[in-house]
Amino acid sequence: MRLISVILCLTCGFACFAQKDIVIGQSDFIIPDSCVNRYDPDGKDTGIWIEKAKQGYFVSYFKAGKVHGVDSGYTGGRTGTEGSFFKFYDVYYDNGLICGPFVMYHENGVMAIYISDISRLEDGERYDTRYSDDTCFIYKGYEVDYDECGRIKAEGLCIFGKDYFIDSEPVGDWKEYNGDGTYTIVNKGRRLDK
């Protein structure tokens, strides 16, 4: 009986989406246009937003005009066919600020980067500089990098801005792993000072 209910629910649910749907490749979810890119009564972004980018899509959840919840990126695969996308990253927000883990994926679906213990840089917290402008760095976190088979390549503290892909730097000592599971401590050159 439960199986029949689930099949009926899925069948009825998909029948409702028969109009001009947005489909994003391998993620395999279908969202009717009537549910995306909406505004609240104050004219601010609300709910799920899907935006086309040059090589993929961004799927974000908004509350009162700020990203709130998961923000995901999908991009075309190097070996994929036209219209084939894979999830590239997930980052979690609370009222417009990054609050939870940042996860980036390899094309095969294996985690590439996992950043945990994310927090904003504290007042007065700064780092020695080799650059002229450090104003873009507002977060710090513990980053673990993985190869395409899921083995740890490196780990250590990182700092980053609103866009990790543009504004990110390793800080201090990092462990860089060898193929046999041993690691070498490598100083990345930046320090976080109070």
Side-chain angles (χ1 to χ4, degrees):
M1 184 64 171
R2 177 177 269 174
L3 179 59
I4 291 171
S5 299
V6 170
I7 291 172
L8 274 173
C9 182
L10 288 174
T11 304
C12 293
F14 287 126
C16 295
F17 298 149
Q19 57 181 337
K20 207 169 143 192
D21 298 324
I22 297 171
V23 179
I24 300 180
Q26 297 173 2
S27 63
D28 210 23
F29 60 85
I30 300 173
I31 303 165
D33 287 346
S34 62
C35 295
V36 298
N37 300 0
R38 298 290 169 213
Y39 299 97
D40 65 16
D42 295 325
K44 297 179 179 177
D45 299 353
T46 191
I48 188 167
W49 275 70
I50 300 177
E51 296 182 34
K52 178 90 171 96
K54 187 174 182 179
Q55 297 179 347
Y57 292 90
F58 297 106
V59 180
S60 307
Y61 290 86
F62 282 83
K63 179 179 172 186
K66 295 183 180 179
V67 181
H68 189 79
V70 69
D71 173 45
S72 300
Y74 297 83
T75 190
R78 291 183 302 247
T79 58
T81 60
E82 180 66 28
S84 173
F85 295 92
F86 71 95
K87 185 181 275 193
F88 181 52
Y89 73 87
D90 286 320
V91 62
Y92 296 85
Y93 285 84
D94 182 19
N95 203 27
L97 300 174
I98 296 174
C99 66
F102 172 91
V103 185
M104 194 180 324
Y105 304 94
H106 289 289
E107 186 175 339
N108 65 2
V110 172
M111 195 171 10
I113 295 174
Y114 184 86
I115 303 176
S116 61
D117 300 326
I118 296 173
S119 63
R120 290 180 63 85
L121 292 174
E122 300 169 18
D123 288 341
E125 194 170 35
R126 59 182 182 78
Y127 24 89
D128 68 331
T129 180
R130 296 174 293 182
Y131 306 98
S132 60
D133 180 16
D134 285 325
T135 58
C136 59
F137 298 115
I138 55 176
Y139 296 102
K140 62 183 175 181
Y142 193 79
E143 179 175 330
V144 181
D145 299 340
Y146 298 89
D147 67 15
E148 290 186 344
C149 294
R151 294 179 297 252
I152 296 177
K153 292 189 327 185
E155 62 181 310
L157 183 66
C158 69
I159 53 176
F160 56 99
K162 289 183 180 181
D163 188 340
Y164 172 85
F165 306 106
I166 296 172
D167 304 322
S168 64
E169 287 281 331
V171 175
D173 291 339
W174 272 56
K175 293 179 183 176
E176 291 187 353
Y177 289 85
N178 305 311
D180 61 2
T182 61
Y183 62 85
T184 305
I185 301 289
V186 177
N187 188 292
K188 297 296 186 172
R190 289 199 133 193
R191 286 191 324 270
L192 213 54
D193 298 325
K194 285 219 173 193

